[in-house]
Amino acid sequence: NAGVTQTPKFQVLKTGQSMTLQCAQDMNHEYMSWYRQDPGMGLRLIHYSVGAGITDQGEVPNGYNVSRSTTEDFPLRLLSAAPSQTSVYFCASSSQGARNTIYFGEGSWLTVV
Amino acid sequence: AQKVTQAQTEISVVEKEDVTLDCVYETRDTTYYLFWYKQPPSGELVFLIRRNSFDEQNEISGRYSWNFQKSTSSFNFTITASQVVDSAVYFCALSEEADKLIFGTGTRLQVFP
């Protein structure tokens, strides 16, 4: 988990509220991504970025927005939280994608009530 | 389509037993990468190994070893002389591009003293 920092670690939201999960890395990695982990389903890719100013959708992008204005930061925004977005969220980064080690943050536990 | 199958949902062993975690993958690409991650009860994802599709050499790291067989599309993970600290969920993952990982559903390993 070296160098990938996620905040907050725990958050409870009410349905309809918006919030941003922060992700920062200090390794000058080009690639960053967000995953969600749900019981029995492993981790699924939400959005990813191959560099500043470039983002793309993953497997489950609906209800989430991202932007990559700097190399270091890759925030994930929930526009109008729904109970289905209750999950554990992981941010990841790497220097050459899968050609190098992919590091994960410690996770953010989000509950939407 | 990409897919990773970890058919073993949960495995229980007694300390000092050897245990093998199975991983079968599907991909149409000739260039791809395979990963194993460990998720201990504390929740973080710990990188264990990355292997590219052109390197079929088996790898050993202490009590851990990996068997990569392209002929059967498998990338199995063996823990020799298991210990209680090995108790965790283990994920196998596949990547064809960037840092987009496709995860299996994980295998929960419980090692009893």
Side-chain angles (χ1 to χ4, degrees):
Chain A
N1 299 339
V4 182
T5 304
Q6 289 183 231
T7 55
K9 192 169 180 68
F10 299 98
Q11 182 73 48
V12 178
L13 280 180
K14 293 183 179 179
T15 298
Q17 286 185 321
S18 63
M19 77 157 298
T20 299
L21 297 176
Q22 302 290 346
C23 177
Q25 52 89 10
D26 58 3
M27 298 174 282
N28 201 33
H29 286 171
E30 305 93 18
Y31 294 83
M32 296 185 74
S33 51
W34 277 102
Y35 294 81
R36 60 177 286 173
Q37 181 179 16
D38 301 297
M41 301 187 73
L43 284 80
R44 293 179 293 168
L45 181 65
I46 305 172
H47 285 286
Y48 68 99
S49 170
V50 299
I54 305 170
T55 64
D56 207 345
Q57 296 180 349
E59 181 185 354
V60 288
N62 292 340
Y64 307 95
N65 269 1
V66 292
S67 59
R68 185 93 181 271
S69 56
T70 67
T71 299
E72 294 78 20
D73 300 299
F74 191 43
L76 178 71
R77 298 181 185 86
L78 283 71
L79 306 175
S80 178
S84 60
Q85 294 179 303
T86 293
S87 189
V88 183
Y89 292 85
F90 287 94
C91 179
S93 79
S94 64
S95 62
Q96 295 183 4
R99 288 170 288 178
N100 212 329
T101 301
I102 299 176
Y103 296 96
F104 283 83
E106 294 187 337
S108 296
W109 275 252
L110 176 67
T111 302
V112 183
V113 298
Chain B
Q2 300 172 304
K3 186 178 180 182
V4 175
T5 301
Q6 294 181 258
Q8 303 153 308
T9 304
E10 187 163 340
I11 300 175
S12 296
V13 298
V14 177
E15 224 174 5
K16 298 184 183 178
E17 284 187 32
D18 298 346
V19 58
T20 295
L21 308 182
D22 297 333
C23 174
V24 175
Y25 62 92
E26 295 177 28
T27 178
R28 294 177 182 171
D29 278 12
T30 56
T31 301
Y32 52 90
Y33 301 84
L34 296 163
F35 295 76
W36 276 95
Y37 285 88
K38 174 182 180 180
Q39 187 174 45
S42 51
E44 73 273 23
L45 286 165
V46 179
F47 167 79
L48 295 178
I49 191 172
R50 176 183 57 86
R51 175 70 67 204
N52 74 56
S53 54
F54 299 107
D55 183 1
E56 285 194 75
Q57 282 190 344
N58 292 332
E59 180 150 343
I60 299 174
S61 177
R63 297 183 296 106
Y64 295 171
S65 63
W66 290 269
N67 185 327
F68 177 28
Q69 291 194 339
K70 290 177 72 172
S71 60
T72 56
S73 297
S74 65
F75 187 42
N76 296 337
F77 172 34
T78 297
I79 302 175
T80 302
S82 58
Q83 300 176 1
V84 172
V85 293
D86 295 326
S87 297
V89 179
Y90 291 87
F91 289 99
C92 180
L94 165 71
S95 178
E96 295 173 349
E97 60 173 314
D99 62 350
K100 297 168 64 176
L101 291 169
I102 301 296
F103 282 83
T105 51
T107 297
R108 180 178 300 278
L109 174 65
Q110 293 196 60
V111 182
F112 294 99

